[in-house]
């Protein structure tokens, strides 16, 4: 009774002061910090980052499971257990995963690196590491309201031999291709590398801790602030990135609408053209203009800025960001197509990049796979008439299709009377099309069973799954 009376007094007061999160849903978090790598130099900050994030998320109403320095088996087990916790809580659950440590891309796939990996070649990474798409697919396999994945994992590739052939940073992850309600944030943009930082925490985690603690800020605005803060503290060397398919509102900390102008949801602004951005940026101080494009994060804003401030350090940074972004989009398209022709097209457009070696390897790997282009596809008539080769070794003419005044309803005429040595063709009418099939060889009068129909169908299909490539719904932040 005493405890209940105390809570009845303190909770309303805390809500009025805006110091506790909105608790309309269940909140679960898994926080992983990987510092003590066994076969590469240790990372000083991930353990600190994980500890600070665990405290912030606890303050935000999450039930936090914290883990550090996990092997591959331990990481897989923790992720599986976490998915089980989410499933037990039910569909009205916000599931959040924070990971700090090494991450890298191999063949267009992103991997989180356990502390016990010791690869001798690229092919060892898929066996020894944990694929990011497996984590995302595990989370979406259980009912939940929202999935938030925060990755402070874009540090430099720690394996010298692999860094000669693998691409820099992480590949694009398109949250929109999966189930709605997913938010993914990287500590820097795809294809770039993040800094571990010289303080107690990385630049990304430092900015996230500060922005998430502000009451009443929607998650999209929280990460706009993270993006700008990291850009400033790294002098433009690092710009976080995120992708979203969220359909519901989310705030780390509760607060009234008056707590912040950004707390009131605003309608999405129309995307501006390059010329419109040029007019917006013209005459502004370069630092003020750079902050505008970093918060916006679109190609159009970066292209306008790079043109207006060409030759300046900030202008060169913007051009580098834009070129890398377009290259990573082209790389993602090639990975999605997964054909030798697609990778040859990428090399024709970008012949000399950190992804050149991987593209050539993929071409060699796919050399025996046929490229199924739209031109090779056979259109299926609306009448669903299947054309098949003759089934007997005779020089028969191909089936003839002709239009007839017949009703759309399919009908098959009964077999006509048998005659010695002759039998007229069996006629099938399907949706106003008469299919006259070649008559069978001559027969003699003998008991015959019911008519037999034979149909042959051929289907060709293929595809590549994962969190990539769909343009349905949602939106991207930070340029994607």
């Amino acid at each position: 009774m005493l405890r209940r009376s105390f809570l009845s007094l303190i909770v309303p007061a805390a809500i009025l002061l805006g110091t506790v999160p909105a608790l309309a849903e269940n909140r679960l978090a898994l926080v992983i910090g990987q510092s003590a790598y066994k076969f590469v130099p240790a990372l000083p900050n991930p353990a600190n980052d994980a500890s600070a994030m665990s405290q912030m998320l606890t303050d935000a109403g999450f039930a936090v499971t914290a883990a550090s320095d996990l092997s591959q088996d331990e990481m897989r087990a923790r992720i599986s257990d976490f998915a089980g916790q989410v499933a037990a809580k039910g569909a009205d659950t916000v599931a959040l995963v924070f990971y700090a440590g090494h991450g890298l891309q191999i063949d267009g796939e992103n991997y989180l690196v356990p502390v016990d990996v010791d690869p001798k070649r690229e092919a060892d990474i898929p066996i020894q590491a944990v694929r990011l798409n497996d984590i995302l697919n595990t989370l979406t396999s259980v009912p939940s309201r929202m999935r938030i994945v925060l990755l402070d994992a874009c540090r430099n590739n720690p394996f010298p031999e692999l860094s000669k052939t693998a691409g820099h940073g992480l590949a694009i992850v398109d949250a929109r291709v999966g189930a709605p309600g997913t938010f993914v944030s990287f500590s820097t943009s795809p294809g770039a590398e993040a800094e571990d930082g010289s303080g107690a925490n990385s630049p990304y985690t430092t900015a996230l801790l500060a922005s998430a603690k502000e009451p009443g800020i929607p998650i999209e605005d929280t990460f706009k602030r993270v993006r700008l803060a990291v850009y400033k503290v790294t002098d433009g060397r690092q710009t976080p990135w995120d992708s979203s398919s969220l359909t519901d509102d989310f705030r780390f900390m509760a607060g009234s609408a008056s707590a912040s102008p950004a707390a009131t949801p605003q309608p999405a602004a129309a995307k501006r053209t390059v010329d419109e951005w040029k007019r917006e940026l013209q005459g502004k101080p370069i630092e003020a203009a750079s902050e505008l494009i970093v918060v916006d994060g679109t190609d159009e804003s970066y292209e306008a800025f790079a043109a207006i401030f060409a030759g300046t350090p900030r202008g060169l940074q913007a051009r580098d960001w834009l070129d890398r972004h377009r290259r990573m989009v082209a790389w993602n398209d090639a990975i999605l197509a997964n054909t030798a022709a697609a990778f040859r097209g990428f090399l024709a457009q970008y012949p000399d990049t950190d992804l050149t070696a991987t593209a050539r390897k993929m071409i060699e790997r796919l050399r025996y796979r046929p490229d199924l282009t739209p031109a090779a596809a056979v259109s299926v008539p609306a009448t669903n008439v299947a054309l098949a080769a003759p089934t007997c070794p005779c020089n028969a003419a191909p089936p003839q299709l002709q239009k007839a005044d017949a009703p759309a309803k399919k009908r098959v005429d009964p077999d006509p009377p048998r005659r010695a040595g002759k039998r007229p063709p069996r006629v099938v009418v399907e949706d106003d099309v008469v299919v006259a099939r070649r008559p069978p060889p001559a027969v003699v009068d003998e008991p015959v069973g019911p008519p037999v129909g034979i149909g042959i169908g051929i289907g060709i299909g293929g595809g590549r799954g994962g969190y990539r490539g769909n343009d349905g719904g949602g939106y991207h932040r930070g340029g994607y």
Side-chain angles (χ1 to χ4, degrees), residues 291-315:
E291 291 181 10
L292 286 175
I293 68 164
V294 167
V295 170
D296 179 70
T298 62
D299 280 18
E300 290 76 10
S301 61
Y302 271 84
E303 186 172 341
F305 182 93
I308 292 174
F309 299 100
T312 67
R314 286 286 187 256

Side-chain angles (χ1 to χ4, degrees), residues 151-156 186-189 192-198 201-207 226-241 294 302 314 317 320-321 324:
L151 300 169
D152 199 349
C154 310
R155 295 164 171 87
N156 66 302
F186 287 173
S187 55
T188 193
S189 53
E193 294 178 352
E195 300 178 7
D196 192 53
S198 56
N201 299 111
S202 73
Y204 173 79
T205 298
T206 300
V226 170
R227 201 153 66 231
L228 183 57
V230 173
Y231 175 84
K232 286 181 175 181
V233 77
T234 61
D235 196 25
R237 297 185 302 274
Q238 181 177 333
T239 306
W241 165 92
V294 167
Y302 271 84
R314 286 286 187 256
Q317 284 179 339
D320 178 70
W321 184 97
R324 182 174 60 251

Side-chain angles (χ1 to χ4, degrees), residues 24-29 61-65 81-95 142-145:
E25 72 280 313
N26 296 309
R27 295 184 169 196
L28 296 177
F62 282 86
V64 177
T65 300
D81 292 345
F82 181 68
Q85 294 173 23
V86 174
K89 284 292 185 180
D92 191 27
T93 301
V94 175
V142 295
S144 62
R145 175 174 171 241

